[in-house]
Coordinates of all heavy atoms in Angstrom, one line a residue:
M156 N -15.9 30.5 -44.2 CA -16.7 29.5 -43.7 C -15.9 28.4 -42.8 O -14.9 28.0 -43.3 CB -17.5 28.8 -44.8 CG -18.4 27.7 -44.4 SD -19.3 27.2 -45.9 CE -20.8 26.8 -45.1
R157 N -16.4 28.1 -41.7 CA -15.7 27.1 -40.8 C -16.1 25.7 -41.1 O -17.3 25.4 -41.3 CB -16.1 27.4 -39.3 CG -15.2 28.5 -38.8 CD -15.4 28.5 -37.3 NE -14.1 28.9 -36.8 CZ -13.6 28.7 -35.7 NH1 -14.4 28.1 -34.8 NH2 -12.4 29.0 -35.3
T158 N -15.2 24.8 -41.0 CA -15.4 23.4 -41.2 C -15.2 22.8 -39.8 O -14.7 23.4 -38.9 CB -14.5 22.8 -42.2 OG1 -13.2 22.9 -41.8 CG2 -14.7 23.4 -43.6
R159 N -15.5 21.6 -39.6 CA -15.4 20.9 -38.3 C -14.0 20.2 -38.2 O -13.8 19.3 -37.4 CB -16.5 19.9 -38.1 CG -17.8 20.5 -38.1 CD -18.8 19.7 -37.3 NE -20.1 20.3 -37.3 CZ -20.6 21.1 -36.4 NH1 -19.8 21.4 -35.4 NH2 -21.8 21.6 -36.4
I160 N -13.0 20.6 -39.0 CA -11.7 20.1 -38.9 C -10.9 20.8 -37.8 O -11.0 22.1 -37.7 CB -11.0 20.2 -40.2 CG1 -11.7 19.4 -41.3 CG2 -9.5 19.8 -40.1 CD1 -11.1 19.6 -42.7
P161 N -10.3 20.1 -36.9 CA -9.5 20.8 -35.8 C -8.4 21.6 -36.4 O -8.0 21.4 -37.6 CB -8.9 19.6 -35.0 CG -9.5 18.4 -35.5 CD -10.2 18.7 -36.8
A162 N -8.0 22.6 -35.7 CA -6.9 23.5 -36.1 C -5.7 22.8 -36.6 O -5.1 23.2 -37.6 CB -6.6 24.5 -35.1
L163 N -5.3 21.8 -35.8 CA -4.0 21.1 -36.2 C -4.4 19.6 -36.3 O -4.1 18.8 -35.3 CB -3.0 21.3 -35.1 CG -2.5 22.8 -34.9 CD1 -1.6 22.9 -33.8 CD2 -1.8 23.3 -36.2
P164 N -4.9 19.1 -37.4 CA -5.4 17.7 -37.5 C -4.2 16.8 -37.4 O -4.4 15.6 -37.1 CB -6.1 17.7 -38.8 CG -5.6 18.8 -39.6 CD -5.2 19.9 -38.6
F165 N -3.0 17.2 -37.7 CA -1.8 16.3 -37.7 C -1.1 16.2 -36.4 O -0.3 15.4 -36.2 CB -0.8 16.8 -38.8 CG -0.4 18.2 -38.5 CD1 0.6 18.5 -37.6 CD2 -1.1 19.3 -39.2 CE1 1.0 19.9 -37.4 CE2 -0.7 20.6 -38.9 CZ 0.3 20.9 -38.1
C166 N -1.6 17.0 -35.4 CA -0.9 17.0 -34.1 C -1.8 16.2 -33.1 O -2.8 16.7 -32.7 CB -0.8 18.5 -33.7 SG 0.1 18.6 -32.1
H167 N -1.3 15.0 -32.8 CA -2.0 14.2 -31.9 C -1.2 14.0 -30.6 O -0.5 13.1 -30.5 CB -2.3 12.8 -32.5 CG -3.2 12.9 -33.7 ND1 -4.5 13.2 -33.7 CD2 -2.9 12.8 -35.0 CE1 -5.0 13.2 -34.9 NE2 -4.0 13.0 -35.8
V168 N -1.3 14.9 -29.7 CA -0.5 14.9 -28.5 C -1.4 14.4 -27.4 O -2.5 14.9 -27.2 CB 0.0 16.4 -28.2 CG1 0.7 16.4 -26.9 CG2 0.9 16.8 -29.3
H169 N -0.9 13.5 -26.6 CA -1.5 13.0 -25.4 C -0.6 13.2 -24.3 O 0.5 12.6 -24.2 CB -1.9 11.5 -25.5 CG -2.8 11.2 -26.6 ND1 -4.2 11.5 -26.5 CD2 -2.7 10.8 -27.9 CE1 -4.8 11.1 -27.6 NE2 -3.9 10.7 -28.5
L170 N -1.0 14.1 -23.3 CA -0.1 14.3 -22.2 C -0.5 13.3 -21.1 O -1.6 13.0 -20.8 CB -0.4 15.7 -21.6 CG -0.1 16.9 -22.6 CD1 -0.4 18.2 -21.9 CD2 1.4 16.9 -23.0
Q171 N 0.6 12.7 -20.6 CA 0.4 11.7 -19.5 C 1.4 12.1 -18.4 O 2.5 12.5 -18.6 CB 0.7 10.3 -20.0 CG -0.3 9.8 -21.0 CD 0.0 8.4 -21.4 OE1 1.2 8.0 -21.4 NE2 -1.0 7.7 -21.9
G172 N 0.9 11.8 -17.2 CA 1.8 12.1 -16.0 C 1.3 11.2 -14.9 O 0.2 10.6 -14.9
Q173 N 2.2 11.0 -14.0 CA 1.9 10.2 -12.8 C 1.0 10.9 -11.9 O 1.2 12.1 -11.6 CB 3.2 9.7 -12.2 CG 3.0 8.7 -11.2 CD 4.4 8.2 -10.6 OE1 5.4 8.8 -10.8 NE2 4.4 7.1 -9.9
K174 N 0.0 10.2 -11.4 CA -0.9 10.8 -10.4 C -0.2 11.0 -9.1 O 0.7 10.2 -8.7 CB -2.1 10.0 -10.2 CG -3.1 10.0 -11.3 CD -4.3 9.1 -10.9 CE -5.4 9.2 -11.9 NZ -6.6 8.4 -11.6
P175 N -0.5 12.1 -8.4 CA 0.2 12.2 -7.1 C -0.4 11.1 -6.1 O -1.5 10.6 -6.3 CB -0.3 13.6 -6.6 CG -1.5 13.9 -7.4 CD -1.4 13.2 -8.7
P176 N 0.5 10.7 -5.2 CA 0.0 9.7 -4.2 C -1.2 10.2 -3.4 O -1.3 11.4 -3.2 CB 1.2 9.4 -3.4 CG 2.1 10.6 -3.5 CD 1.8 11.2 -4.9
P177 N -2.0 9.3 -2.9 CA -3.1 9.7 -2.0 C -2.6 10.5 -0.8 O -1.5 10.3 -0.4 CB -3.8 8.4 -1.6 CG -3.2 7.3 -2.5 CD -1.9 7.9 -3.0
S178 N -3.5 11.3 -0.3 CA -3.1 12.0 0.9 C -2.9 11.0 2.1 O -3.6 10.0 2.2 CB -4.2 13.0 1.3 OG -5.3 12.3 1.7
G179 N -1.9 11.3 2.9 CA -1.5 10.4 3.9 C -0.6 9.3 3.5 O -0.2 8.5 4.3
Y180 N -0.2 9.3 2.2 CA 0.8 8.3 1.7 C 2.2 8.6 2.4 O 2.6 9.7 2.4 CB 0.9 8.5 0.2 CG 1.4 7.2 -0.5 CD1 0.6 6.2 -0.8 CD2 2.8 7.1 -0.9 CE1 1.0 5.1 -1.4 CE2 3.2 6.0 -1.5 CZ 2.4 5.0 -1.8 OH 2.8 3.9 -2.5
P181 N 2.8 7.6 3.0 CA 4.1 7.8 3.7 C 5.2 8.2 2.7 O 5.3 7.6 1.7 CB 4.4 6.5 4.3 CG 3.5 5.5 3.7 CD 2.4 6.2 3.0
R182 N 5.9 9.2 3.1 CA 7.0 9.7 2.3 C 8.3 8.8 2.5 O 9.1 8.7 1.6 CB 7.3 11.2 2.6 CG 6.2 12.1 2.2 CD 6.5 13.5 2.6 NE 5.4 14.3 2.6 CZ 5.2 15.3 1.6 NH1 6.1 15.5 0.8 NH2 4.1 16.0 1.7
E183 N 8.4 8.4 3.7 CA 9.5 7.5 4.1 C 9.0 6.2 4.8 O 8.0 6.3 5.5 CB 10.5 8.2 5.1 CG 11.2 9.4 4.6 CD 12.0 10.0 5.7 OE1 13.2 9.5 5.8 OE2 11.6 10.9 6.4
L184 N 9.6 5.1 4.5 CA 9.2 3.9 5.1 C 10.1 3.5 6.2 O 11.1 2.9 6.1 CB 9.2 2.7 4.1 CG 8.2 3.0 2.9 CD1 8.4 1.9 1.9 CD2 6.8 3.1 3.4
R185 N 9.8 4.1 7.4 CA 10.7 3.9 8.6 C 10.1 2.9 9.6 O 10.9 2.4 10.4 CB 10.9 5.3 9.2 CG 11.7 6.2 8.3 CD 12.1 7.4 9.1 NE 10.9 8.2 9.5 CZ 10.9 9.2 10.3 NH1 12.1 9.7 10.8 NH2 9.8 9.8 10.6
A186 N 8.8 2.7 9.6 CA 8.2 1.9 10.6 C 7.3 0.9 9.9 O 6.9 1.1 8.7 CB 7.4 2.7 11.6
L187 N 6.9 -0.2 10.6 CA 6.0 -1.2 10.1 C 4.7 -0.6 9.7 O 4.1 -0.9 8.7 CB 5.8 -2.3 11.1 CG 5.0 -3.5 10.7 CD1 5.6 -4.2 9.5 CD2 4.8 -4.4 11.8
G188 N 4.2 0.4 10.5 CA 3.0 1.1 10.2 C 3.0 1.8 8.8 O 2.0 1.9 8.1
D189 N 4.2 2.4 8.5 CA 4.4 3.0 7.2 C 4.2 2.0 6.0 O 3.5 2.3 5.0 CB 5.7 3.7 7.0 CG 6.0 4.8 8.0 OD1 5.0 5.4 8.5 OD2 7.1 5.0 8.4
H190 N 4.7 0.8 6.2 CA 4.5 -0.2 5.2 C 3.1 -0.6 5.1 O 2.5 -0.9 4.0 CB 5.4 -1.4 5.5 CG 6.9 -1.1 5.3 ND1 7.5 -1.3 4.1 CD2 7.8 -0.7 6.2 CE1 8.8 -1.0 4.2 NE2 9.0 -0.6 5.5
L191 N 2.4 -0.8 6.2 CA 1.0 -1.1 6.2 C 0.2 -0.1 5.5 O -0.7 -0.4 4.7 CB 0.5 -1.3 7.7 CG 0.9 -2.6 8.4 CD1 0.7 -2.5 9.9 CD2 0.3 -3.8 7.8
R192 N 0.4 1.2 5.8 CA -0.4 2.3 5.2 C -0.1 2.3 3.7 O -1.1 2.4 2.9 CB 0.0 3.6 5.8 CG -0.8 4.7 5.1 CD -0.5 6.1 5.7 NE -1.4 6.1 6.9 CZ -1.4 7.1 7.8 NH1 -0.6 8.1 7.6 NH2 -2.2 7.1 8.8
M193 N 1.1 2.2 3.3 CA 1.4 2.2 1.8 C 0.7 1.1 1.1 O 0.1 1.3 0.1 CB 2.9 2.1 1.6 CG 3.3 2.2 0.2 SD 5.1 2.1 -0.1 CE 5.3 0.3 0.2
R194 N 0.8 -0.1 1.7 CA 0.2 -1.3 1.0 C -1.3 -1.1 1.0 O -2.0 -1.4 0.0 CB 0.6 -2.6 1.8 CG -0.1 -3.8 1.3 CD 0.6 -4.3 0.0 NE 0.2 -5.7 -0.2 CZ -0.6 -6.0 -1.2 NH1 -1.0 -5.1 -2.1 NH2 -1.0 -7.3 -1.4
R195 N -1.9 -0.6 2.1 CA -3.3 -0.4 2.2 C -3.8 0.6 1.1 O -4.8 0.4 0.4 CB -3.7 0.1 3.6 CG -5.2 0.3 3.7 CD -5.6 0.7 5.1 NE -5.0 2.0 5.6 CZ -5.5 3.2 5.3 NH1 -6.5 3.3 4.5 NH2 -4.9 4.3 5.7
L196 N -3.1 1.7 1.0 CA -3.5 2.8 0.1 C -3.3 2.3 -1.4 O -4.1 2.6 -2.3 CB -2.7 4.0 0.3 CG -3.1 4.8 1.6 CD1 -2.1 5.9 1.9 CD2 -4.5 5.2 1.7
D197 N -2.2 1.6 -1.6 CA -2.0 1.0 -3.0 C -3.1 0.0 -3.4 O -3.4 -0.1 -4.5 CB -0.6 0.3 -3.0 CG 0.6 1.3 -3.0 OD1 0.3 2.5 -3.3 OD2 1.7 0.9 -2.8
S198 N -3.6 -0.7 -2.4 CA -4.6 -1.7 -2.6 C -6.0 -1.1 -2.6 O -7.0 -1.8 -2.8 CB -4.5 -2.8 -1.6 OG -3.3 -3.4 -1.6
R199 N -6.1 0.2 -2.2 CA -7.4 0.9 -2.1 C -8.3 0.2 -1.1 O -9.5 0.0 -1.4 CB -8.0 1.0 -3.5 CG -7.3 1.9 -4.4 CD -8.1 2.1 -5.7 NE -7.5 3.2 -6.5 CZ -6.7 2.9 -7.6 NH1 -6.5 1.7 -8.0 NH2 -6.2 3.9 -8.3
L200 N -7.7 -0.1 0.0 CA -8.5 -0.8 1.1 C -8.7 0.2 2.2 O -7.9 1.1 2.4 CB -7.8 -2.0 1.6 CG -7.6 -3.2 0.6 CD1 -6.7 -4.2 1.2 CD2 -9.0 -3.8 0.2
L201 N -9.8 0.0 2.9 CA -10.1 0.8 4.1 C -9.4 0.2 5.3 O -9.0 -1.0 5.3 CB -11.6 0.8 4.4 CG -12.5 1.4 3.4 CD1 -14.0 1.2 3.7 CD2 -12.2 2.9 3.2
Q202 N -9.1 1.0 6.3 CA -8.5 0.5 7.5 C -9.3 -0.6 8.1 O -8.7 -1.6 8.6 CB -8.3 1.6 8.6 CG -7.2 2.5 8.3 CD -7.0 3.6 9.3 OE1 -7.9 4.0 10.0 NE2 -5.8 4.1 9.4
R203 N -10.6 -0.5 8.1 CA -11.5 -1.6 8.6 C -11.2 -2.9 7.9 O -11.1 -3.9 8.5 CB -12.9 -1.1 8.4 CG -13.9 -2.2 8.8 CD -15.4 -1.7 8.7 NE -15.7 -1.0 7.4 CZ -15.9 -1.5 6.2 NH1 -15.9 -2.8 6.1 NH2 -16.1 -0.8 5.2
E204 N -11.1 -2.9 6.6 CA -10.8 -4.1 5.8 C -9.5 -4.7 6.1 O -9.4 -5.9 6.3 CB -10.9 -3.8 4.3 CG -12.3 -3.3 3.9 CD -12.3 -2.7 2.5 OE1 -11.4 -2.0 2.1 OE2 -13.3 -3.1 1.7
V205 N -8.5 -3.9 6.3 CA -7.1 -4.4 6.6 C -7.1 -5.0 8.0 O -6.6 -6.0 8.3 CB -6.1 -3.3 6.4 CG1 -4.7 -3.8 6.9 CG2 -6.0 -2.9 4.9
A206 N -7.8 -4.2 8.9 CA -7.8 -4.7 10.3 C -8.5 -6.1 10.4 O -8.0 -7.0 11.1 CB -8.5 -3.7 11.2
E207 N -9.5 -6.3 9.6 CA -10.2 -7.6 9.6 C -9.3 -8.7 9.1 O -9.3 -9.8 9.6 CB -11.5 -7.5 8.8 CG -12.6 -6.7 9.4 CD -13.8 -6.6 8.5 OE1 -13.8 -7.1 7.3 OE2 -14.7 -5.8 8.8
R208 N -8.6 -8.4 8.1 CA -7.6 -9.4 7.5 C -6.5 -9.7 8.5 O -6.1 -10.9 8.5 CB -7.0 -8.8 6.2 CG -7.9 -8.7 5.1 CD -7.2 -8.3 3.8 NE -8.1 -8.1 2.7 CZ -7.7 -7.9 1.5 NH1 -6.4 -7.8 1.2 NH2 -8.6 -7.7 0.5
I209 N -6.1 -8.8 9.2 CA -5.0 -9.0 10.2 C -5.5 -9.6 11.5 O -4.9 -10.4 12.1 CB -4.2 -7.7 10.5 CG1 -3.5 -7.3 9.2 CG2 -3.2 -7.9 11.6 CD1 -2.8 -5.9 9.3
G210 N -6.8 -9.3 11.8 CA -7.4 -9.8 13.0 C -7.3 -8.9 14.2 O -7.3 -9.3 15.4
V211 N -7.2 -7.6 13.9 CA -7.1 -6.6 15.0 C -8.3 -5.6 14.8 O -9.0 -5.7 13.8 CB -5.8 -5.8 15.0 CG1 -4.7 -6.8 15.3 CG2 -5.5 -5.1 13.7
T212 N -8.4 -4.6 15.7 CA -9.4 -3.6 15.6 C -8.9 -2.5 14.6 O -7.7 -2.4 14.4 CB -9.8 -3.0 16.9 OG1 -8.6 -2.3 17.4 CG2 -10.3 -4.0 17.9
E213 N -9.9 -1.8 14.1 CA -9.5 -0.6 13.3 C -8.7 0.4 14.0 O -7.8 1.0 13.5 CB -10.8 0.0 12.8 CG -10.7 1.1 11.7 CD -12.0 1.6 11.2 OE1 -13.0 1.0 11.4 OE2 -12.0 2.7 10.6
R214 N -9.0 0.6 15.3 CA -8.2 1.5 16.1 C -6.8 1.1 16.3 O -5.9 1.9 16.3 CB -8.9 1.7 17.5 CG -8.3 2.7 18.4 CD -8.4 4.1 17.8 NE -7.8 5.0 18.7 CZ -7.7 6.3 18.5 NH1 -8.3 6.8 17.4 NH2 -7.1 7.1 19.3
T215 N -6.6 -0.2 16.4 CA -5.2 -0.8 16.6 C -4.4 -0.5 15.3 O -3.3 0.0 15.3 CB -5.3 -2.3 16.9 OG1 -5.9 -2.5 18.1 CG2 -3.9 -2.9 16.9
L216 N -5.0 -0.7 14.1 CA -4.3 -0.5 12.9 C -4.0 1.0 12.7 O -2.9 1.4 12.3 CB -5.2 -1.0 11.7 CG -4.6 -0.8 10.3 CD1 -3.3 -1.6 10.2 CD2 -5.5 -1.1 9.2
W217 N -5.0 1.9 13.1 CA -4.7 3.3 13.1 C -3.5 3.7 13.9 O -2.7 4.5 13.5 CB -6.0 4.1 13.6 CG -5.9 5.5 13.4 CD1 -6.3 6.3 12.4 CD2 -5.3 6.4 14.4 NE1 -6.0 7.6 12.6 CE2 -5.4 7.7 13.8 CE3 -4.7 6.3 15.6 CZ2 -4.9 8.9 14.5 CZ3 -4.3 7.4 16.3 CH2 -4.4 8.7 15.7
N218 N -3.4 3.1 15.1 CA -2.3 3.4 16.0 C -1.0 2.9 15.4 O 0.0 3.6 15.5 CB -2.5 2.7 17.4 CG -3.5 3.4 18.2 OD1 -3.7 4.6 18.2 ND2 -4.2 2.7 19.1
W219 N -1.0 1.8 14.7 CA 0.2 1.3 14.1 C 0.6 2.3 12.9 O 1.8 2.6 12.8 CB 0.1 -0.1 13.5 CG -0.1 -1.2 14.5 CD1 0.1 -1.1 15.9 CD2 -0.6 -2.5 14.3 NE1 -0.2 -2.3 16.4 CE2 -0.6 -3.1 15.5 CE3 -1.0 -3.1 13.1 CZ2 -1.0 -4.5 15.6 CZ3 -1.4 -4.5 13.2 CH2 -1.4 -5.1 14.5
E220 N -0.4 2.6 12.1 CA -0.1 3.5 10.9 C 0.4 4.9 11.4 O 1.1 5.5 10.6 CB -1.3 3.6 10.0 CG -1.6 2.4 9.2 CD -2.7 2.6 8.3 OE1 -3.3 3.7 8.2 OE2 -3.0 1.6 7.5
N221 N -0.1 5.4 12.5 CA 0.3 6.7 13.0 C 1.4 6.7 14.0 O 1.6 7.7 14.7 CB -1.0 7.4 13.5 CG -1.9 7.7 12.4 OD1 -1.7 8.7 11.6 ND2 -3.0 7.0 12.2
R222 N 2.1 5.6 14.1 CA 3.2 5.4 15.0 C 2.9 5.7 16.5 O 3.7 6.2 17.2 CB 4.4 6.3 14.6 CG 4.9 5.9 13.2 CD 6.1 6.7 12.9 NE 6.5 6.5 11.5 CZ 7.3 7.3 10.8 NH1 7.9 8.2 11.5 NH2 7.6 7.1 9.6
K223 N 1.7 5.4 16.9 CA 1.3 5.6 18.3 C 1.5 4.3 19.1 O 1.6 4.4 20.3 CB -0.2 5.9 18.4 CG -0.6 7.2 17.6 CD -0.1 8.4 18.2 CE -0.6 9.6 17.4 NZ 0.1 10.8 17.8
A224 N 1.7 3.2 18.4 CA 1.9 1.9 19.0 C 2.7 1.0 18.0 O 2.6 1.2 16.8 CB 0.6 1.3 19.4
E225 N 3.4 0.0 18.6 CA 4.1 -1.0 17.8 C 3.2 -2.3 17.8 O 2.6 -2.6 18.8 CB 5.4 -1.3 18.4 CG 6.4 -0.1 18.3 CD 7.0 0.0 16.9 OE1 7.1 -1.0 16.2 OE2 7.3 1.2 16.6
A226 N 3.3 -3.0 16.7 CA 2.6 -4.3 16.6 C 3.2 -5.3 17.5 O 4.5 -5.4 17.6 CB 2.6 -4.7 15.2
A227 N 2.4 -6.1 18.2 CA 2.9 -7.2 19.1 C 3.4 -8.3 18.2 O 2.9 -8.5 17.0 CB 1.9 -7.6 20.0
L228 N 4.3 -9.1 18.6 CA 4.9 -10.2 17.8 C 3.8 -11.2 17.4 O 3.9 -11.8 16.3 CB 5.9 -11.0 18.7 CG 7.2 -10.3 18.9 CD1 8.1 -11.1 19.8 CD2 7.9 -10.0 17.6
Q229 N 2.7 -11.3 18.1 CA 1.7 -12.3 17.7 C 1.0 -11.9 16.4 O 0.4 -12.8 15.7 CB 0.6 -12.4 18.8 CG -0.3 -11.2 19.0 CD -1.2 -11.3 20.1 OE1 -0.8 -11.7 21.2 NE2 -2.5 -11.0 19.9
W230 N 1.1 -10.6 16.0 CA 0.4 -10.2 14.8 C 1.3 -10.2 13.6 O 0.8 -10.0 12.5 CB -0.2 -8.7 15.0 CG -1.1 -8.7 16.1 CD1 -1.0 -8.0 17.3 CD2 -2.4 -9.4 16.2 NE1 -2.1 -8.2 18.1 CE2 -2.9 -9.1 17.5 CE3 -3.1 -10.3 15.4 CZ2 -4.1 -9.6 17.9 CZ3 -4.3 -10.8 15.8 CH2 -4.8 -10.4 17.1
L231 N 2.6 -10.4 13.8 CA 3.5 -10.3 12.7 C 3.2 -11.3 11.5 O 3.3 -11.0 10.4 CB 5.0 -10.5 13.2 CG 5.5 -9.2 13.8 CD1 7.0 -9.5 14.3 CD2 5.4 -8.0 13.0
P232 N 2.9 -12.6 11.8 CA 2.6 -13.5 10.7 C 1.4 -13.0 9.8 O 1.5 -13.0 8.6 CB 2.2 -14.8 11.4 CG 2.9 -14.8 12.7 CD 2.9 -13.3 13.1
N233 N 0.4 -12.4 10.5 CA -0.8 -11.9 9.7 C -0.4 -10.6 9.0 O -0.8 -10.4 7.8 CB -2.0 -11.6 10.6 CG -2.5 -12.9 11.2 OD1 -2.2 -14.0 10.8 ND2 -3.4 -12.7 12.2
I234 N 0.4 -9.8 9.6 CA 0.9 -8.5 8.9 C 1.8 -8.9 7.7 O 1.6 -8.3 6.6 CB 1.7 -7.7 9.9 CG1 0.7 -7.1 11.0 CG2 2.4 -6.5 9.2 CD1 1.4 -6.4 12.2
L235 N 2.7 -9.8 7.9 CA 3.5 -10.2 6.8 C 2.7 -10.8 5.6 O 3.0 -10.6 4.5 CB 4.6 -11.2 7.2 CG 5.7 -10.6 8.2 CD1 6.6 -11.6 8.7 CD2 6.5 -9.5 7.4
R236 N 1.7 -11.6 6.0 CA 0.8 -12.2 5.0 C 0.1 -11.1 4.2 O 0.0 -11.1 3.0 CB -0.2 -13.1 5.6 CG -0.9 -14.0 4.6 CD -1.8 -15.1 5.3 NE -1.0 -15.8 6.3 CZ -1.3 -15.8 7.6 NH1 -2.2 -15.1 8.1 NH2 -0.6 -16.5 8.5
F237 N -0.3 -10.0 4.9 CA -1.0 -8.9 4.2 C 0.0 -8.2 3.3 O -0.3 -7.8 2.2 CB -1.6 -8.0 5.2 CG -2.1 -6.7 4.6 CD1 -3.2 -6.7 3.8 CD2 -1.4 -5.5 4.8 CE1 -3.7 -5.5 3.2 CE2 -1.9 -4.3 4.2 CZ -3.0 -4.3 3.4
L238 N 1.2 -7.9 3.9 CA 2.2 -7.2 3.1 C 2.8 -8.0 1.9 O 3.4 -7.4 1.0 CB 3.4 -6.8 4.0 CG 3.0 -5.7 5.1 CD1 4.2 -5.5 6.0 CD2 2.5 -4.4 4.5
G239 N 2.6 -9.3 2.0 CA 3.1 -10.1 0.9 C 4.5 -10.5 1.0 O 5.2 -10.9 0.1
D240 N 5.0 -10.4 2.2 CA 6.4 -10.7 2.5 C 6.5 -11.9 3.4 O 5.6 -12.2 4.2 CB 7.1 -9.6 3.2 CG 7.3 -8.3 2.4 OD1 7.3 -8.5 1.1 OD2 7.3 -7.3 2.9
D241 N 7.5 -12.7 3.3 CA 7.8 -13.8 4.2 C 9.2 -13.6 4.6 O 10.2 -13.8 3.9 CB 7.5 -15.1 3.5 CG 7.5 -16.2 4.5 OD1 7.9 -16.0 5.7 OD2 7.2 -17.4 4.1
A242 N 9.4 -13.2 5.9 CA 10.8 -13.0 6.4 C 11.6 -14.2 6.7 O 12.7 -14.2 7.0 CB 10.7 -12.1 7.7
R243 N 10.9 -15.4 6.6 CA 11.6 -16.6 6.9 C 12.6 -16.9 5.8 O 12.2 -16.8 4.6 CB 10.6 -17.8 7.1 CG 9.7 -17.6 8.3 CD 8.7 -18.7 8.4 NE 7.8 -18.6 7.2 CZ 6.8 -19.3 7.0 NH1 6.5 -20.3 7.9 NH2 6.0 -19.2 6.0
P244 N 13.8 -17.4 6.1 CA 14.7 -17.7 5.0 C 14.3 -19.0 4.3 O 13.6 -19.8 4.9 CB 16.0 -17.9 5.8 CG 15.7 -18.2 7.2 CD 14.3 -17.5 7.4
E245 N 14.6 -19.1 3.0 CA 14.4 -20.3 2.2 C 15.2 -21.4 2.8 O 16.4 -21.2 3.1 CB 14.7 -20.0 0.8 CG 13.8 -19.1 0.1 CD 12.4 -19.7 -0.1 OE1 12.3 -20.9 -0.4 OE2 11.4 -18.9 0.0
P246 N 14.6 -22.6 2.9 CA 15.4 -23.7 3.4 C 16.5 -24.1 2.4 O 16.3 -24.1 1.2 CB 14.4 -24.8 3.5 CG 13.2 -24.4 2.8 CD 13.2 -22.9 2.6
T247 N 17.6 -24.5 2.9 CA 18.7 -24.9 2.0 C 18.7 -26.4 2.0 O 18.1 -27.1 2.8 CB 20.1 -24.4 2.6 OG1 20.2 -25.0 3.9 CG2 20.1 -22.9 2.7
P248 N 19.4 -27.0 1.0 CA 19.4 -28.5 0.9 C 19.9 -29.2 2.2 O 19.5 -30.2 2.6 CB 20.3 -28.8 -0.3 CG 20.2 -27.6 -1.1 CD 20.0 -26.4 -0.1
S249 N 20.8 -28.5 2.9 CA 21.4 -29.1 4.1 C 20.3 -29.1 5.2 O 20.3 -29.9 6.1 CB 22.6 -28.3 4.6 OG 22.3 -27.0 4.9
D250 N 19.3 -28.1 5.2 CA 18.3 -28.1 6.2 C 17.3 -29.2 6.0 O 16.6 -29.6 6.9 CB 17.5 -26.7 6.1 CG 18.4 -25.6 6.5 OD1 19.4 -25.8 7.2 OD2 18.0 -24.4 6.1
R251 N 17.2 -29.8 4.8 CA 16.2 -30.8 4.5 C 16.6 -32.2 4.9 O 15.9 -33.1 4.8 CB 15.9 -30.7 3.0 CG 15.2 -29.4 2.7 CD 14.8 -29.4 1.2 NE 14.3 -28.1 0.9 CZ 14.3 -27.6 -0.3 NH1 14.9 -28.2 -1.3 NH2 13.8 -26.4 -0.5
R252 N 17.8 -32.3 5.3 CA 18.4 -33.7 5.7 C 17.8 -34.1 7.0 O 17.4 -33.6 7.9 CB 19.9 -33.7 5.7 CG 20.5 -33.5 4.4 CD 21.9 -33.6 4.5 NE 22.5 -33.1 3.2 CZ 23.7 -32.9 2.9 NH1 24.6 -33.1 3.9 NH2 24.1 -32.5 1.8

């Protein structure tokens, strides 16, 4: 007669593994567009949403992510804000005088 006890009640194994990155995830971070794509995919945002945050069109962001164009200097402050980086050096005490 069968009971509802599992075959190995003492064996509680939970397999865990890292999920593969989303398709299109950059393997190497060689260009600014690679960093944008990685941050966008990690944040689970659409290109449209990121483009709105930066202030460009969706097509412009696509061009940057696919290395079809480079971002103009005017967009770097917004791009850095989105990436969470600030390339400006920290002021030193001598700079504050």
Side-chain angles (χ1 to χ4, degrees):
M156 180 173 213
R157 276 192 146 202
T158 61
R159 298 206 183 266
I160 299 174
L163 300 172
F165 55 85
C166 185
H167 300 284
V168 176
H169 296 282
L170 299 178
Q171 293 181 335
Q173 192 173 14
K174 286 185 176 181
S178 66
Y180 202 81
R182 295 175 194 252
E183 296 180 85
L184 299 175
R185 295 187 296 173
L187 184 60
D189 297 332
H190 290 274
L191 285 167
R192 177 176 282 177
M193 182 181 75
R194 176 81 164 108
R195 179 177 65 79
L196 292 174
D197 287 345
S198 302
R199 293 186 170 102
L200 295 171
L201 300 173
Q202 283 181 333
R203 175 180 41 82
E204 295 168 318
V205 174
E207 287 174 5
R208 289 184 185 190
I209 295 174
V211 297
T212 64
E213 187 176 344
R214 183 67 181 178
T215 299
L216 181 64
W217 185 92
N218 284 330
W219 293 345
E220 287 186 359
N221 290 285
R222 298 184 191 168
K223 304 290 183 191
E225 293 284 328
L228 288 176
Q229 72 186 45
W230 302 115
L231 285 181
N233 295 351
I234 292 170
L235 292 174
R236 195 172 306 115
F237 170 72
L238 293 175
D240 295 333
D241 191 351
R243 295 175 296 184
E245 288 291 321
T247 61
S249 63
D250 292 339
R251 294 182 184 151
R252 290 182 193 173

